[in-house]
Amino acid sequence: MSALAHRPLGGRILTKPVFILGFFVLLGAYFIARRFIFGLGDVSHMSNGYPLGVWVAIDVVVGTAFGCGGYAMALLIYIFNRNTYHPLMRPALLGGVFGYTLAGLAVMIDLGRYWNAFNLLMPWYAQLNSVIFEVALCVMAYTTVLWIEFWPVFLERMPPAFKQRFNLEKFQAFLKRYMFVFIGLGVLLPTMHQSSLGSVLLVMGSKLSPLWYTAWLPLLFLISALTMGYSVVLLESTLVSRAFRLPSESALLTPLSRIVAGLLALFLLIRFGALLAGGHLNLVFAGDRLSSLFLIETALFLAPLFILASPGGRGSQRWRFLAAVSLLAGGSLYRINAYLMAVDPGNGWVYFPSAPELMITVGVVCLEIMLYLFFIKTLPILHGSANQSHGRLL
């Protein structure tokens, strides 16, 4: 494991896709500035009935699930001792760093009285009976842990003279010696807050449709986070290898796909079992808006299950890619539905995101993609000789 070599991908930084992404980042930054200058009402359609809008539902609830690639791979490599997957660890960790950091940015944009955010760290303001308080602390702690886990990448890139001048060699030795502590926290903390994202919905009671409401929500959210994390690894590896004409990592991705299929089957079994046990299975075919959303979700989950469960499907790069896209779409829709679409707060409250709200979310996503491209080109993220590019550079 220690002998695994990583090198920067190299290539031009300022390319046409980067300029396109940068335009949307600047557009999102403009609306973020308006939000902080003129308040939430200037850019958002959130209300007392719908206090959680797309910034939470997409940027946080979905975004952190997309950022669970590092968590999912750490669980597989360090807990279940599957070291053969270690070449996939750093790209997955990088996705986690950006997924959680930018989710934190979205929370700061979403907070009404954002200047009081530091109160979260004050013991006398602690709400020990609040699930959201636990989620906030865990996400904050895990984001810190992710950056600490990622620090060896920066240290490897620094010239020896620079590290010696600022005495960073001791810090590097410290990280190497005690990294197991941060890896342990990096497995514990997402397990806690991803399941707690499901627990948050339990307090909604009858406001959440029975098609989504179940006592098994914490477990369902945890399993969905793992499946989405592994799917991000499949998607990222395929996109990078195709975009930069790198050798395929099918030898690792094919057995990983079998793990994804198993988790997905478990998710569907628990979900339909909960519906059957609660006597709500008939709602699946009610023919209304919610049943249609449920059936779309289910189709998006079943398609990758059949693909990845078959040897031909998981062994094909194209089919793996399509399965990952479908699973991520299904997981995203599941979480958006549970937090927004399937919620009825009563009293005639309605919610549809404003254009500025959506543009801020688009800007955050584009910023993540830009930073990802910049990091893999300038830092030792990709492993071995696989990062010798012979094609176009994004």
Side-chain angles (χ1 to χ4, degrees):
M1 188 170 69
S2 59
L4 190 65
H6 298 85
R7 289 191 294 274
L9 178 65
R12 291 191 302 122
I13 302 299
L14 299 178
T15 60
K16 185 182 294 186
V18 169
F19 283 114
I20 295 173
L21 293 169
F23 169 77
F24 288 104
V25 171
L26 291 176
L27 192 59
Y30 166 75
F31 288 116
I32 290 174
R34 290 190 63 94
R35 177 265 175 272
F36 284 116
I37 295 172
F38 301 110
L40 277 173
D42 184 70
V43 298
S44 172
H45 284 169
M46 287 186 291
S47 61
N48 290 336
Y50 284 92
L52 302 180
V54 294
W55 294 335
V56 169
I58 296 179
D59 295 9
V60 178
V61 180
V62 174
T64 57
F66 272 64
C68 277
Y71 160 56
M73 295 308 300
L75 189 67
L76 190 61
I77 294 168
Y78 300 113
I79 303 302
F80 292 101
N81 203 29
R82 304 291 292 275
N83 288 332
T84 54
Y85 292 104
H86 206 272
L88 302 174
M89 186 66 220
R90 278 195 179 178
L93 183 62
L94 178 62
V97 165
F98 291 141
Y100 273 85
T101 301
L102 296 179
L105 171 64
V107 169
M108 293 305 299
I109 298 170
D110 178 78
L111 287 176
R113 299 179 180 181
Y114 55 87
W115 54 87
N116 288 329
F118 69 91
N119 287 335
L120 181 68
L121 301 176
M122 303 301 166
W124 48 88
Y125 287 120
Q127 301 292 327
L128 300 182
N129 293 324
S130 170
V131 178
I132 294 181
F133 177 76
E134 182 266 339
V135 170
L137 282 183
C138 282
V139 169
M140 185 182 298
Y142 183 54
T143 304
T144 305
V145 167
L146 282 169
W147 280 106
I148 293 173
E149 288 185 281
F150 195 74
W151 251 100
V153 178
F154 294 117
L155 293 171
E156 289 177 20
R157 188 67 169 129
M158 295 176 185
F162 181 86
K163 289 191 288 186
Q164 186 175 7
R165 179 181 179 183
F166 292 96
N167 206 24
L168 293 174
E169 292 173 332
K170 289 185 177 180
F171 181 54
Q172 190 171 16
F174 169 83
L175 288 179
K176 186 175 181 180
R177 182 174 183 180
Y178 294 104
M179 186 57 74
F180 71 94
V181 176
F182 299 107
I183 290 173
L185 289 172
V187 172
L188 174 65
L189 292 170
T191 303
M192 294 172 63
H193 67 252
Q194 285 296 333
S195 60
S196 293
L197 284 174
S199 300
V200 169
L201 298 175
L202 294 178
V203 301
M204 290 189 179
S206 59
K207 293 181 179 180
L208 180 61
S209 167
L211 286 173
W212 284 267
Y213 186 88
T214 169
W216 293 93
L217 272 168
L219 181 58
L220 288 171
F221 264 69
L222 179 60
I223 297 173
S224 69
L226 285 170
T227 55
M228 292 174 72
Y230 286 127
S231 296
V232 166
V233 173
L234 296 176
L235 184 70
E236 169 272 326
S237 179
T238 303
L239 287 176
V240 170
S241 64
R242 292 296 296 271
F244 298 104
R245 304 295 172 85
L246 304 178
S248 174
E249 294 178 310
S250 292
L252 296 174
L253 300 181
T254 299
L256 183 63
S257 300
R258 188 163 52 244
I259 296 173
V260 178
L263 286 170
L264 189 51
L266 179 62
F267 174 85
L268 291 172
L269 180 64
I270 294 173
R271 192 171 185 200
F272 276 91
L275 286 174
L276 182 62
H280 302 302
L281 198 58
N282 61 306
L283 297 178
V284 174
F285 306 102
D288 56 8
R289 180 180 65 89
L290 293 179
S291 67
S292 298
L293 289 172
F294 182 90
L295 290 173
I296 293 172
E297 272 182 35
T298 304
L300 289 171
F301 284 133
L302 286 175
L305 176 60
F306 287 127
I307 292 172
L308 299 179
S310 64
R314 62 174 175 263
S316 166
Q317 185 183 64
R318 175 176 296 180
W319 283 111
R320 276 200 312 269
F321 174 80
L322 293 175
V325 170
S326 179
L327 202 159
L328 290 171
S332 300
L333 184 59
Y334 170 70
R335 289 173 172 240
I336 293 171
N337 286 339
Y339 269 79
L340 281 181
M341 304 292 288
V343 176
D344 182 8
N347 296 324
W349 290 105
V350 293
Y351 169 78
F352 190 84
S354 66
E357 273 183 283
L358 294 174
M359 290 315 304
I360 288 174
T361 294
V362 170
V364 169
V365 173
C366 290
L367 177 61
E368 182 174 355
I369 298 172
M370 284 179 61
L371 291 173
Y372 187 91
L373 291 171
F374 176 77
F375 272 51
I376 64 171
K377 289 181 179 181
T378 58
L379 294 173
I381 307 292
L382 304 181
H383 67 95
S385 60
N387 46 357
Q388 301 298 315
S389 175
H390 301 289
R392 64 187 186 278
L393 296 179
L394 291 179

